[in-house]
Amino acid sequence: MHDWHRVFDQNVLVPPHPQRARRPGGASTAFQGVLKWLDGPLSKQGVLEVLSEVGCHLRVSLFDVTYRHFFGKTWRTAVRPVELPSRPASRIVFNEPVYFHTSLNHPNIVAVVEVAAEGRKRDGSLQTLSCGFGILRIFSSKPESPPSASQDRRLRLYHGTPRALLHPLLQDPIEQNKHLTLIESCSLQCTLRPHPALEPALHLLPENLLVSGLQPVPGLLPAHGDAGDALRKPRLQKPVTWYLDDLFFTLYPSLEKFEEELLELLVSDYFREGGSPLDGGALQVLERRLSVGVHNGLCFVQRPQVVVLVPEGEVALARSASFSRKVVSSKASSGNQALVLRSRLRLPEMVRHPAFAIVFQLEYVFNSPPGADGNVASGPSLSNLACMHVVRWAVWNPLPEAGSGTVALPLRGGPQPNPSHCLVYKAPPAGMSSEEVKQVESGTVQFQYSLRPDGRPDTPAGRVGAPTAERRVPRKPPTSPPSPPEPAAQGLVAPQDSPVGPGLSLSQLAASPRSPAQCRAARPSSQQPGGSEPSSAQTQEVRLEGGVSHLEADLSQPPSAPGPAVAEQLQELPFAPVHAPIVVGAQARSSGSKLSRASMALLQSCGFPEILDAEKRPVEAVDPADAIQFDPQKEESDRLQSNEIVLQFLAFSRVPQDDQGAPWLETVFFTFQFYRFPPVTTPRLQLVQLDEPGQSSSGPLSHALVRAGEPGAPHAGPPGFQLRYLVGPGFLKPGERRWFTRYLAVQSLQVDVWDGDSLLLVGSAAVPLKHLLRQGRPAVQVSHELEVVATEYEQDATVVSGDGTGFGSVKSIGVHTVLKGLLHLTLANVGHLCEPRARDSSALPPSRSRVVSNDGAARFEGGSLLSRGGPTRKSVVQAQKLADVDSELAAMLFTPTQSPGSRGPQGAGREADATRRRKLERMRTVRLRESGVELGHRVTSVLAQQSVRARHARDLQVIAAYRECVKAQSIACALRRAITTEHTVHAAPGTAEFFEFALRNPHSTAHTVTVEVDSPELSLILDSREWRHFKEAADLHTPVEEDMFRLGGPAPQLFLRPRETAHVPFKYQTFSAPQASAELGSEDADAKPPGKSGAVLTRHAKVLFRASGGQPIAVLRLTVEPQPPVVDQVFRFYHPELTFLKKAIRLPPWHTLPGAPVGVRGEAPPLHVRCSDPNVICETQSVGPGEPRDVFLKVASGPSPERKDFFITIYADRWLATPVQIWQVCLHSLQRVDVACVTGQRTRLALVLRGTQTVRNVKAFTSHPQELTMDPKGVFVLPPRGLQDLHVAVRPRRAGARFVHLSVVDVDCHQLVASWLVCLSCRPPLISKAFEITMAAGEGKGANKRITYTNPYPSRRTYHLHSDHPDLLQFKEDTFQVGGGETYTIGLRFAPRRGPGAEEVLVYINDHEDKNEETFCVKVVYQ
């Protein structure tokens, strides 16, 4: 603690001028300055001569010329001795670096350097004199110029002290002011330049603090050596994540008395400042906030986390409390309780350093009185303005050896300096108190700390009695605040996922940062800690009921049995985790149907481009309802070996079941992945209303798709969007054609539909590809009407089973689907003849043989030793200049060269140019001689020729020396290229690429060859059974050897006889997916072939075969062209940020999986699963025969709005050779907002939207616009790095727990700015009256009914009417007024329904604040 206070007290900074601080600043720039030396004599020589031990040092301060304001902290160098009297040319050397960073990028921000001399008087006292100062400009006056030049500067010095800059007569430019006098023959040599290497350590240094490289900075490792500069290349210390639980704040004498006195003082202070008198209820406590951050004595390492504290009595009622903007007044609900935190705090930025401490700051938010000068909100507000005051703060400096425990700290208050540099509420007078009482008079904060994520304390050696209970028991709240509550032990978290718990309060949403370093851990913790250290006598641990964290809840029931005092090893019992499985295939299926004749006629009249075959004839159309007879022999024998796959998006229509009152989409775009091509994101397509809607079997054909152009400009091109894929022998690997035809026969293409404006997922559709099999026909096309279905995954705690889609016999558990629309899509396959054109060898597919031979690489074929390319097989090599081959040699030669590195015809062209220049020079010399030029000119020409000859001779000597130097290295490289064999594989993630290398022993003696592989993805096949499996799959008939390799050493070894050849088996297998581009170039351009995407990087692996003596006998250089995987299923999850997603995905019967081996149906092979992301836990467990298989998934979500994509590969063979299923999982991380509300009643909340680096025009969108509204509604401006309140009002229509998506989109760039996952926990209202009516089903006229409502209040009131079924019930008047005690008749209009049945319709009667007064239930029976 003393180290933190020492660093904090020694580094107090003066803030910049308030006017300068109000201006928005950019990114902070780091600088390095070096004060080198001082030239010239010091001024005031006469005064210094009477002093002894005279020394000189420099002082540097930051100064704002515009406002004449010094800020930051003055930094000084070490004292250098001065010899008096000084010589006129004396020099005082400093050579001290200084570092700082600032965001005040303005030409008038300068650095003032002062020269100070000091010495001792005769009485021994120290006297310091100012000997002049200089002004160092940091930023240039030109905006386009760099912040500072990197060359040396000569700083002129002026007479006087820097305090002269405060005089009002010294206006800018100061250097030219007549009131400043230069010091003759005296200057300071220095440098100032940007220092980007300091940017990783900027979070450890506050702005405008000048520090030396020799000064230790908490959080940085010291430099190498005793006199090293630690800031020249800073090295950060390793952070440690700390977890804080069970935070309790106790205020003196009680919470009620403390807040009552605080409110009275605020009211009196407001009246003293000239405000009108206020009554006691005019000022209320809105929120009690806690700001927690890590401080290194200089500044906060990260922005402090802001959470909400609640009185202890309100925690148990948090599950049923509604989400309100105001907290109940302190007088009514606080009582004499403590303030508790319901969540766990995670501090990942802590460092084990004596100066690192955790700072707690208790803040109170009050409503601002009417007319008071408070802080005005940046946007429209739905309630009173709020003001905030800091009331207490505390600091805790953990011990370096601390691991876990309980801490109690005294709170501080009053005018003493604090890390936030703000005024703090006064502390109670302690004049007559003892030291023990002083520690608690201002209050205390108690908490538990731990280094373990699970919250269990780390019991160090020799320490017994740490809390070890597995469960927590409830306890009653304490009756007296001064008595410390008992500490609580950490419990086990239930295996279920987090259900919807009590919602976050307004300040948690508005002030919680989005930085990953300030996130909340998904862990329930709301226990009360006890004393400062847990004792061994604490054998019974307690728990506070209702302890629910922000993101997850503890679903386990707390038993009453206490835990033992000493930890014992528990015996694990058989247990199966409870996960609601998601059935594979239920999400991707979409029951499409064929178009009606009216719909096809309407589509044809829209002018969509017609698909033609290779002969420019219309393509034959097939019926999607027809059965497909797949014959592989027909596909293999087809003369049209090239397939052109055409995808044509035609229309997207609204379904009749959709709420017609809800707004419909304006633009959409699609994402999908076809075969092994890169993922595709189509451009935004506009939905255009059709003039005469046709009627199909599923619904109306309402909107056609056109390319979205500029706003207000119609699209001139044809409607629809078309995409083409060319799949031919030039793009497929040998033998891959049958895999492609099998892909078309068994797979379905999943298309995701997105809202082009809100960037929210509309739904997904799946179209079978089996109709694209031509079966000998020249071309085929098929038109589909696909149902776009939105899939919602229920949480595991509240799952219900059922088939909500009706797609088949397999029912999905915990999955609800909603029909969103109908997608009209046309697929076509046009056959083409293969063009017998010559292609580059690099574009040709690899050889069909899986045996790689090195016979051709066993001898040197000749060529240049300095060749920079790969191995060549040519015997004739064109000669090149050495200067063109080696750039270092070209730099050493005197003879000028052009563009070193050129070769080939360009080099020959340069030789021709040199010959031409030489001939021209000879002709010029002949003409000069014939014209009788003077002798002096001839002498000059002769001397020039001699100089050229001398340079040429010197260059020849350099070239000869260079050749001797590199001869041995060049010969070794040439010999290594001679034994190197190149091989290329096209590897898809999850699929093992098998090949054999024919290794030959070129020597006449036997050798034990060591095989060294430099890539973990390339491995030898050591098991003969695995080798035989791959041979059978590849139809390779080379022999299989048992016990081929000798293991046990650092690398496998095999024995080779003289001149013997052995086949060495290899397999290359990677599980990481290539990052392929998802952008689409143009509509008519063909899609890129597999492996040709520019975003996929080629990988390389090398295998070195060393003989017994260590010399290499063969080198295999493997080039890997990554391929996108063939995705069978896409899962898309939306999950709260910084939590764990736990899901179970159920597999269908194994024999129905595409690619499953043929065998007996009852024998299920063992399944293996692998994931492309090593940070994702993915596993499957062996079950009994006949039981379904589940794949368990556990993945950590990142910060919002991050998206994490990974692939899951499932194998049915033990060697993981060929996958039977590849799934793509997309995890979208969103900010979670929990809202507890009542159905039919409006609940308001506010979200904080943080601006980016530039000004943006943004708009808020929601997935349920009928239930959730935002303010501002339209497009509004988001200022850069600013804060904007986004007010949200929720009125749910049905009870239960569900999710609502909220996104903020840049309308100009169509980029996602922020996104939230609103978790609604809706409870039904209390029904006061019930009615029942009977209506005729069908296309009737409906029915008009009336009900009465009596105003129970004595005054006149205004009421609003709402219904949970606006499509079935409409009101005559949505708003009415009724006097006190009077009765009003409400007119109801019931709409007819097509089919018979019964429906319960709720009528909500809300007051003027949209709070529910009464609810009527009308049961409508349709007959």
Side-chain angles (χ1 to χ4, degrees), residues 1098-1337:
T1098 302
R1099 304 175 184 176
H1100 298 279
K1102 186 173 67 174
V1103 183
L1104 187 61
F1105 300 90
R1106 294 186 181 273
S1108 304
Q1111 69 275 14
I1113 62 173
V1115 177
L1116 172 62
R1117 189 174 185 270
L1118 188 67
T1119 301
V1120 182
E1121 297 289 348
Q1123 306 292 314
V1126 178
V1127 179
D1128 299 281
Q1129 181 77 36
V1130 179
F1131 296 93
R1132 194 177 300 273
F1133 301 105
Y1134 293 87
H1135 201 66
E1137 62 175 350
L1138 305 173
T1139 57
F1140 282 98
L1141 171 70
K1142 302 175 183 178
K1143 289 294 179 183
I1145 303 176
R1146 176 157 296 177
L1147 289 168
W1150 69 273
H1151 60 272
T1152 62
L1153 294 176
V1158 179
V1160 182
R1161 184 168 181 173
E1163 298 178 1
L1167 293 182
H1168 307 273
V1169 61
R1170 293 293 183 271
C1171 185
S1172 63
D1173 190 349
N1175 297 321
V1176 175
I1177 299 177
C1178 187
E1179 60 183 6
T1180 180
Q1181 298 178 357
S1182 59
V1183 293
E1187 295 293 331
R1189 298 288 188 92
D1190 292 340
V1191 176
F1192 298 96
L1193 183 66
K1194 179 180 177 182
V1195 54
S1197 60
S1200 175
E1202 181 181 286
R1203 168 181 165 178
K1204 182 178 294 185
D1205 294 347
F1206 55 92
F1207 296 89
I1208 297 177
T1209 311
I1210 301 176
Y1211 301 90
D1213 60 291
R1214 59 176 300 187
W1215 309 113
L1216 311 183
T1218 304
V1220 296
Q1221 283 275 287
I1222 297 181
W1223 300 339
Q1224 181 180 2
V1225 180
C1226 304
L1227 177 59
H1228 300 260
S1229 301
L1230 306 178
Q1231 300 180 69
R1232 176 166 179 165
V1233 181
D1234 292 291
V1235 181
C1237 49
V1238 180
T1239 306
Q1241 176 176 302
R1242 176 170 294 180
T1243 302
R1244 295 181 175 91
L1245 63 147
L1247 305 177
V1248 173
L1249 181 61
R1250 301 182 183 275
T1252 58
Q1253 298 181 357
T1254 59
V1255 179
R1256 292 179 180 268
N1257 294 325
V1258 299
K1259 185 178 180 181
F1261 298 90
T1262 177
S1263 59
H1264 296 70
Q1266 298 299 313
E1267 299 181 337
L1268 190 144
T1269 58
M1270 290 81 62
D1271 185 18
K1273 295 182 180 179
V1275 180
F1276 60 94
V1277 177
L1278 181 61
R1281 298 185 180 87
L1283 298 179
Q1284 175 75 31
D1285 286 340
L1286 183 62
H1287 301 280
V1288 179
V1290 181
R1291 185 192 290 115
R1293 291 184 177 179
R1294 59 183 178 89
R1298 53 203 175 94
F1299 299 118
V1300 176
H1301 300 280
L1302 178 62
S1303 64
V1304 178
V1305 181
D1306 188 334
V1307 296
D1308 298 328
C1309 304
H1310 299 285
Q1311 294 178 345
L1312 185 63
V1313 178
S1315 58
W1316 288 271
L1317 184 65
V1318 183
C1319 304
L1320 300 181
S1321 178
C1322 310
R1323 60 181 179 88
L1326 297 178
I1327 298 176
S1328 56
K1329 294 181 181 181
F1331 306 89
E1332 183 175 350
I1333 64 173
T1334 303
M1335 294 179 56

Side-chain angles (χ1 to χ4, degrees), residues 245-250 310-313 315 336-341 406-407 446-448 472-473 475-481 483-490 525-531 538 540-545 547:
D245 293 279
D246 310 334
L247 271 83
F248 279 75
F249 283 78
T250 306
V310 295
E312 190 177 10
V315 177
N336 52 0
Q337 304 160 0
L339 294 178
V340 301
L341 179 63
T406 306
V407 175
Q446 305 176 25
F447 58 92
Q448 290 186 0
R472 294 171 287 192
V473 298
R475 69 170 179 88
K476 297 181 180 180
T479 56
S480 58
S483 61
E486 298 181 10
Q490 303 294 338
S525 57
S526 57
Q527 305 87 351
Q528 290 192 6
Q538 295 171 345
Q540 182 168 355
E541 307 301 336
V542 294
R543 177 181 182 267
L544 183 62
E545 288 187 351

Side-chain angles (χ1 to χ4, degrees), residues 603 608 648-653 670 687 690 701-705 720 822-825:
L603 288 177
F608 291 102
Q648 191 175 29
F649 297 89
L650 304 178
F652 184 61
S653 303
F670 306 95
L687 296 177
L690 297 178
L701 180 62
S702 58
H703 295 78
L705 297 173
L822 299 175
L823 175 63
H824 302 273
L825 178 67

Side-chain angles (χ1 to χ4, degrees), residues 712-735:
H715 180 68
F721 177 77
Q722 192 174 103
L723 183 66
R724 299 175 182 269
Y725 292 93
L726 186 60
V727 183
F731 303 121
L732 297 177
K733 296 184 295 182

Side-chain angles (χ1 to χ4, degrees), residues 523-588:
R523 186 64 191 158
S525 57
S526 57
Q527 305 87 351
Q528 290 192 6
S532 59
E533 293 291 334
S535 62
S536 60
Q538 295 171 345
T539 59
Q540 182 168 355
E541 307 301 336
V542 294
R543 177 181 182 267
L544 183 62
E545 288 187 351
V548 181
S549 70
H550 294 179
L551 299 181
E552 294 210 11
D554 193 341
L555 302 181
S556 59
Q557 297 296 331
S560 58
V566 181
E568 297 179 358
Q569 184 69 29
L570 296 180
Q571 184 68 28
E572 183 179 0
L573 299 177
F575 173 73
V578 181
H579 292 284
I582 301 170
V583 178
V584 172
Q587 301 82 24

Side-chain angles (χ1 to χ4, degrees), residues 1306-1377:
D1306 188 334
V1307 296
D1308 298 328
C1309 304
H1310 299 285
Q1311 294 178 345
L1312 185 63
V1313 178
S1315 58
W1316 288 271
L1317 184 65
V1318 183
C1319 304
L1320 300 181
S1321 178
C1322 310
R1323 60 181 179 88
L1326 297 178
I1327 298 176
S1328 56
K1329 294 181 181 181
F1331 306 89
E1332 183 175 350
I1333 64 173
T1334 303
M1335 294 179 56
E1339 300 292 340
K1341 297 182 180 180
N1344 295 322
K1345 300 294 180 179
R1346 292 179 299 175
I1347 57 177
T1348 59
Y1349 175 74
T1350 303
N1351 183 11
Y1353 299 97
S1355 59
R1356 189 175 185 84
R1357 294 294 179 97
T1358 301
Y1359 295 97
H1360 303 274
L1361 298 176
H1362 302 282
S1363 173
D1364 63 338
H1365 288 77
D1367 55 333
L1368 300 179
L1369 174 61
Q1370 296 180 356
F1371 302 99
K1372 182 178 180 182
E1373 294 179 357
D1374 295 335
T1375 303
F1376 66 91
Q1377 292 184 354

Side-chain angles (χ1 to χ4, degrees), residues 635-654:
E635 295 291 336
E636 290 289 340
S637 60
D638 191 357
R639 65 184 184 88
L640 303 178
Q641 292 293 316
S642 182
N643 298 279
E644 183 183 7
I645 308 297
V646 182
L647 279 72
Q648 191 175 29
F649 297 89
L650 304 178
F652 184 61
S653 303
R654 195 171 190 175

Side-chain angles (χ1 to χ4, degrees), residues 950-1029:
R951 289 199 300 266
H952 287 178
R954 192 261 185 190
D955 290 346
L956 291 176
Q957 294 178 359
V958 172
I959 292 174
Y962 172 79
R963 294 184 62 182
E964 291 296 330
C965 181
V966 302
K967 182 182 297 184
Q969 181 182 359
S970 301
I971 293 176
C973 293
L975 294 178
R976 183 177 294 272
R977 289 197 303 268
I979 61 174
T980 300
T981 303
E982 297 280 349
H983 183 61
T984 302
V985 295
H986 300 268
T991 304
E993 293 292 335
F994 165 74
F995 64 94
E996 294 181 352
F997 181 74
L999 177 63
R1000 179 178 181 272
N1001 183 9
H1003 303 100
S1004 57
T1005 57
H1007 286 284
T1008 300
V1009 181
T1010 304
V1011 184
E1012 301 177 0
V1013 184
D1014 66 348
S1015 175
E1017 298 170 340
L1018 179 63
S1019 60
L1020 282 168
I1021 298 179
L1022 305 177
D1023 195 326
S1024 60
R1025 295 172 296 174
E1026 181 181 4
W1027 190 3
R1028 189 174 294 105
H1029 174 82

